[in-house]
Amino acid sequence: MTVHRFLDGRISLPRHKTKRWIKRAVHQIQGVVFHHTAGHGSAADICRYHVGPNHISASGLPGGSYTFMVGPDGSVFWVNDLDDKTASQNDPNRPGSENADFLAVSFLGDFSSPGHVAGQPTLPQLAAGLSLVLHLIGYTEDPRVPGVLLGALGHLFSTDVWGHYHFGKAACPGSTLQAVIEAARWHDPDTGHDALEWQVALNAKGYDDSAPDGIWGPKSRSALVRFQAAHDLPVTGDRDERTERELFRS
């Protein structure tokens, strides 16, 4: 499972003549978010669209609005520096700036989801995307990805992979990638309560104002972080036993 080829497009791909991305602290990135491009062509086509008038900005963006893009043949395009705060997620219900907090990886193509019939990501594409993330978090080294990126997000884990659907875009990046994302994110927190029960408890104590749905996304984790901070617990965002005892204490 490796990247087919790696192309550094930070200079060669279309960019805005004057605009530049706002910078962010790489060590504060909370996760990697998978997208799809909805079938708008090649990596160059996507960047060209984003620097012109587009659905995100009428005056254009500094460049393609992802940090990496993954092609059907397993090629990975490095579009922006890791510390560039790209414009990829936009959930008005989430506190803070998810574009500052998360790094975006987009898969070239338009992929099927419930109510949306389209194509599917290829196996080389899926393998390359996963290998890229594992290289970034330092779990395994991909020989075709630059060594400077190895462990660049070493503070993250595979459970820190998200989908655009976690941020309100239900059809992105499609059902196949959603299954891959949930498999990467799955872990047994070794507690007696499931995600829905944690959400209900946080909601009841005033830390989460969203409707409990059993999907443990960024907003749920942010609510848990606020609860931990308010109760002098280690602020990890994890559903650990110590936090469970405090949250479900009658």
Side-chain angles (χ1 to χ4, degrees), residues 102-181:
F102 295 88
L103 181 148
V105 175
S106 193
F107 292 72
L108 294 172
D110 186 18
F111 307 136
S112 293
S113 60
H116 177 64
V117 179
Q120 296 291 345
T122 67
L123 289 176
Q125 194 170 25
L126 293 173
L130 289 173
S131 188
L132 171 67
V133 171
L134 293 176
H135 186 94
L136 289 169
I137 66 177
Y139 186 76
T140 59
E141 182 176 3
D142 189 307
R144 293 189 174 93
V145 179
V148 68
L149 294 175
L150 180 62
L153 300 179
H155 59 290
L156 300 181
F157 302 91
S158 65
T159 48
D160 295 311
V161 177
W162 307 87
H164 199 183
Y165 58 91
H166 285 115
F167 298 84
K169 192 73 170 181
C172 184
S175 299
T176 298
L177 274 165
Q178 180 171 346
V180 170
I181 292 163

Side-chain angles (χ1 to χ4, degrees), residues 202-209 219 222-224 226-227 230-231:
L202 287 167
N203 190 296
K205 297 196 174 184
Y207 290 93
D208 189 350
D209 58 3
K219 192 170 184 181
S222 293
L224 185 60
R226 292 195 298 274
F227 175 83
H231 291 80

Side-chain angles (χ1 to χ4, degrees), residues 36-233:
H36 68 171
T37 60
H40 292 302
S42 66
D45 293 332
I46 300 300
C47 293
R48 193 173 296 110
Y49 168 69
H50 284 165
V51 300
N54 60 75
H55 69 286
I56 302 173
S57 170
S59 61
L61 298 168
S65 62
Y66 312 108
T67 304
F68 298 97
M69 286 191 271
V70 185
D73 67 347
S75 295
V76 170
F77 302 85
W78 191 359
V79 185
N80 294 291
D81 292 334
L82 270 61
D83 61 354
D84 285 334
K85 188 179 78 170
T86 61
S88 306
Q89 301 81 228
N90 186 24
D91 182 357
N93 295 315
R94 183 183 181 276
S97 171
E98 64 271 22
N99 290 317
D101 296 339
F102 295 88
L103 181 148
V105 175
S106 193
F107 292 72
L108 294 172
D110 186 18
F111 307 136
S112 293
S113 60
H116 177 64
V117 179
Q120 296 291 345
T122 67
L123 289 176
Q125 194 170 25
L126 293 173
L130 289 173
S131 188
L132 171 67
V133 171
L134 293 176
H135 186 94
L136 289 169
I137 66 177
Y139 186 76
T140 59
E141 182 176 3
D142 189 307
R144 293 189 174 93
V145 179
V148 68
L149 294 175
L150 180 62
L153 300 179
H155 59 290
L156 300 181
F157 302 91
S158 65
T159 48
D160 295 311
V161 177
W162 307 87
H164 199 183
Y165 58 91
H166 285 115
F167 298 84
K169 192 73 170 181
C172 184
S175 299
T176 298
L177 274 165
Q178 180 171 346
V180 170
I181 292 163
E182 293 305 321
R185 288 179 49 74
W186 186 89
H187 72 293
D188 183 357
D190 195 27
T191 65
H193 300 84
D194 61 22
L196 181 62
E197 292 172 312
W198 280 78
Q199 290 172 329
V200 169
L202 287 167
N203 190 296
K205 297 196 174 184
Y207 290 93
D208 189 350
D209 58 3
S210 60
D213 58 7
I215 299 175
W216 192 257
K219 192 170 184 181
S220 297
R221 188 177 185 185
S222 293
L224 185 60
V225 164
R226 292 195 298 274
F227 175 83
Q228 289 173 328
H231 291 80
D232 295 322
L233 296 164

